[in-house]
């Protein structure tokens, strides 16, 4: 059972050629992960940067986000669709040697689609939450500052060392 399977895995990893194949597959997965993280960050930056520009122009947070979403939708979708279209033949196992890369391509393809959709929905929500929390903290600090009692003058007028 499990013991026999684990001994086969260990013996397979002792073979230098097999180890090289395992490392090559792991390296490809890391590249896919870096691609997904980079894409999600780039999309988030596009959206937040446009929102911040709108806020600097005097728009409210709500209006800035409503303008930034459609304005940045096209570049976000163009990048994501380019990656998705490039990965589709490999994910469908078309072409020479695609069967070994198909699982990775399908995973990255799903990651691209889901990260794009999450970016378009989650970034505005998180931006709004952070903006709301920041405003709340500023209001509380102003309230605490206004309610802080002022020091009463010492009788006698001047400060004396005791």
């Amino acid at each position: 059972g499990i013991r026999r399977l684990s001994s086969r895995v260990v013996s397979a990893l002792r073979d230098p050629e097999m180890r090289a194949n395992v490392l090559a597959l792991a390296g490809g997965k890391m590249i896919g992960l870096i691609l997904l993280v980079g894409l999600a960050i780039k999309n988030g930056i596009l959206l937040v940067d446009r929102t911040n520009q709108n806020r600097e122009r005097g728009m409210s947070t709500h209006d800035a986000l409503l303008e930034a979403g459609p304005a940045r939708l096209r570049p976000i979708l163009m990048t994501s669709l380019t990656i998705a279209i490039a990965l589709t033949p490999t994910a469908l196992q078309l072409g020479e040697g695609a069967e070994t890369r198909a699982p990775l391509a399908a995973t990255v393809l799903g990651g691209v689609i889901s990260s794009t959709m999450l970016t378009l929905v989650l970034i505005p929500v998180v931006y709004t939450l952070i903006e709301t929390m920041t405003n709340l903290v500023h209001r509380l600090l102003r309230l605490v500052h206004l309610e802080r009692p002022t020091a009463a003058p010492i009788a006698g007028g001047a400060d004396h060392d005791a």
Side-chain angles (χ1 to χ4, degrees):
I2 302 257
R3 181 173 273 178
R4 201 170 351 145
L5 178 63
S6 64
S7 66
R8 283 184 181 174
V9 168
V10 170
S11 64
L13 289 177
R14 287 186 182 146
D15 179 21
E17 186 176 316
M18 180 60 122
R19 198 172 352 162
N21 288 339
V22 168
L23 290 175
L25 287 174
K29 290 178 182 175
M30 289 304 293
I31 290 172
L33 180 65
I34 291 169
L35 172 84
L36 286 174
V37 168
L39 177 69
I41 290 172
K42 180 207 68 84
N43 289 344
I45 288 171
L46 279 173
L47 213 48
V48 169
D49 184 53
R50 181 60 173 252
T51 304
N52 287 341
Q53 288 174 3
N54 291 341
R55 298 273 294 139
E56 287 171 4
R57 290 187 203 126
M59 290 183 162
S60 69
T61 303
H62 181 73
D63 292 338
L65 285 166
L66 285 178
E67 192 280 332
R72 292 297 186 222
L73 181 64
R74 183 173 175 228
I76 289 171
L77 288 181
M78 285 174 57
T79 306
S80 298
L81 283 173
T82 301
I83 294 171
I85 289 169
L87 288 172
T88 300
T90 306
L92 295 175
Q93 298 183 6
L94 304 175
E96 239 3 80
E99 60 275 349
T100 59
R101 294 182 305 249
L104 174 64
T107 303
V108 173
L109 182 61
V112 166
I113 292 167
S114 61
S115 73
T116 301
M117 293 301 121
L118 278 173
T119 298
L120 292 172
V121 173
L122 199 61
I123 294 294
V125 170
V126 171
Y127 190 96
T128 304
L129 287 174
I130 290 173
E131 188 69 25
T132 303
M133 296 302 280
T134 304
N135 289 338
L136 181 65
V137 168
H138 285 288
R139 285 182 193 165
L140 287 174
L141 288 175
R142 270 188 257 131
L143 184 65
V144 168
H145 181 70
L146 290 175
E147 290 182 0
R148 186 174 42 185
T150 57
I154 297 176
D159 290 337
H160 298 286
D161 290 331

